[in-house]
Amino acid sequence: MGHSVHISTHPLRPTYTDAQLFQYFNSLAPRILSHRFTHDLNELTELQRHHLTTFPFENLSLHYSPTHTISLDADVLYTKFVRDKRGRGGYCMENNAFFGTILRSLGYEVTSVGARVCDSVNGGDGKGFGGWSHMVNIVTLEGTKYMLDVGFGGNGPTSPLPLQDGLVHDCIPPSEMRLTDSNIESIHTDREQRLWSFQVRQSKEADWQTQYCFTETEFLPQDYEIMNFWTSTSRKSIFTQSILLAKMVMEEGEVMGNLTMFNAEAKRKVRGEVVESWTCKTEKERVEVLREWFGIRLTEEEERGIGGLVTELKG
């Protein structure tokens, strides 16, 4: 693949082989296969955008599955995302763990960190935060740190964001995004502590809304095992009580919209406007929307797995 950089052999930080990377890029964008990796910001941006528009954010394994479990094992993730070739992705820790391993395998300097999701994501006032339940990656390029996230759904970042306070970037038009560095009064008793916050506004005239905050302290795979257990099993977790999907849509190399599903409701948005929507009334309809809109092909065993769950459509 043309890269000649140091590849991590740390036992807690697995990497993929060149053959596995070849198959990943074949799924992602075959034209990248002939690309010589330069490890610069343009390349990193292209990788993130192609990943976002190829592999969906989704929690279907907690609903359409005989086991209703999620694994963060690197080989399990590779099989799910690439080897099975059924259009699957994963929720935050799956997507970002997998993408982080891809970047590390290409020789990028990657640090995985934890994040707390803001209550504004679920209609709150934007002052409250949950526990550590999200993962993002920090990549260092020529001394500058960038936050990358491919697992936050429809309102997630669409390009690497430098850890610079208040710098505004384009997101899905007409929305914008930024990072802020601040003490968060609602969660910090120590006023000296600071976290980075990822914020989005839907237009230049709209208010900024915090989506999550994150630390620069490195999290271990063992930390994510604990986090993943709660988010994938607790009845207080939105992931066990709802079906969630988001897949970005790219036009001429730029992310211009997304496809989303929340339980029975599916929407297609372009440049901030809903251009198509669909309400699924039966399980058959929802499985068809998953296939036709998102490119996700479930097995018959997976389809039966939702029987008796709170998310099953009874029509």
Side-chain angles (χ1 to χ4, degrees):
M1 299 217 170
H3 59 83
S4 58
V5 295
H6 173 70
I7 304 297
S8 171
T9 57
H10 195 288
L12 294 180
R13 305 291 187 271
T15 55
Y16 295 127
T17 66
D18 278 355
Q20 288 175 308
L21 291 174
F22 182 91
Q23 291 302 319
Y24 169 77
F25 286 117
N26 195 49
S27 301
L28 197 71
R31 67 183 181 81
I32 296 181
L33 289 172
S34 61
H35 173 69
R36 184 175 180 84
F37 290 94
T38 56
H39 297 87
D40 59 21
L41 183 57
N42 288 336
E43 175 184 281
L44 197 60
T45 301
E46 185 176 16
L47 288 171
Q48 181 175 359
R49 289 177 177 173
H50 278 286
H51 186 102
L52 285 167
T53 54
T54 302
F55 302 107
F57 166 87
E58 51 102 338
N59 67 333
L60 298 179
S61 293
L62 297 180
H63 306 276
Y64 291 104
S65 163
T67 62
H68 308 115
T69 59
I70 285 177
S71 172
L72 300 182
D73 178 83
D75 289 332
V76 172
L77 292 175
Y78 184 85
T79 296
K80 182 181 181 184
F81 280 68
V82 178
R83 186 175 290 123
D84 281 352
K85 298 181 179 180
R86 294 194 291 113
R88 296 298 302 274
Y91 75 173
C92 65
M93 282 176 272
E94 292 176 283
N95 245 307
N96 281 319
F98 175 64
F99 190 55
T101 302
I102 291 290
L103 294 178
R104 193 176 302 111
S105 303
L106 292 169
Y108 283 98
E109 183 182 339
V110 182
T111 303
S112 179
V113 302
R116 301 176 183 271
V117 178
C118 184
D119 65 5
S120 63
V121 172
N122 300 313
D125 62 9
K127 296 181 180 179
F129 291 82
W132 299 112
S133 62
H134 185 52
M135 170 199 292
V136 301
N137 289 306
I138 295 177
V139 174
T140 303
L141 286 176
E142 298 181 348
T144 299
K145 294 181 178 180
Y146 296 86
M147 186 275 282
L148 282 86
D149 185 356
V150 294
F152 196 66
N155 263 348
T158 56
S159 62
L161 298 178
L163 301 193
Q164 296 181 25
D165 184 31
L167 185 62
V168 177
H169 304 260
D170 292 332
C171 197
I172 299 176
S175 67
E176 296 179 322
M177 57 186 174
R178 70 178 183 182
L179 298 179
T180 61
D181 176 24
S182 64
N183 177 270
I184 300 176
E185 184 176 349
S186 63
I187 63 176
H188 284 144
T189 56
D190 179 358
R191 298 301 179 223
E192 298 300 315
Q193 292 198 34
R194 305 179 73 81
L195 290 172
W196 290 99
S197 292
F198 170 66
Q199 299 180 332
V200 173
R201 63 181 178 188
Q202 299 307 313
S203 68
K204 292 183 182 297
E205 295 74 30
D207 293 332
W208 288 102
Q209 291 188 321
T210 299
Q211 304 299 301
Y212 56 79
C213 61
F214 64 94
T215 178
E216 291 185 56
T217 300
E218 184 169 17
F219 275 42
L220 301 178
Q222 296 95 320
D223 298 318
Y224 294 120
E225 290 294 336
I226 296 171
M227 292 161 59
N228 181 53
F229 179 79
W230 189 90
T231 55
S232 65
T233 62
S234 173
R235 283 184 288 182
K236 295 181 179 180
S237 168
I238 190 173
F239 295 112
T240 65
Q241 302 302 301
S242 303
I243 288 177
L244 304 164
L245 292 97
K247 188 176 184 180
M248 300 298 188
V249 176
M250 186 154 49
E251 295 179 2
E252 298 181 354
E254 300 290 335
V255 178
M256 290 297 177
N258 57 44
L259 309 171
T260 60
M261 176 182 282
F262 180 71
N263 290 326
E265 306 292 328
K267 295 181 181 180
R268 187 189 308 270
K269 295 178 69 175
V270 177
R271 297 179 183 274
E273 300 293 331
V274 177
V275 297
E276 188 176 2
S277 62
W278 186 267
T279 300
C280 304
K281 299 180 178 61
T282 66
E283 278 301 326
K284 181 179 179 181
E285 283 188 15
R286 185 158 60 186
V287 169
E288 289 177 354
V289 170
L290 290 174
R291 182 176 61 251
E292 298 300 324
W293 282 39
F294 296 90
I296 294 175
R297 297 172 297 282
L298 299 175
T299 66
E300 292 183 2
E301 184 181 36
E302 288 170 338
E303 290 180 26
R304 292 194 298 269
I306 201 168
L309 298 186
V310 66
T311 48
E312 180 186 15
L313 295 178
K314 307 296 184 181

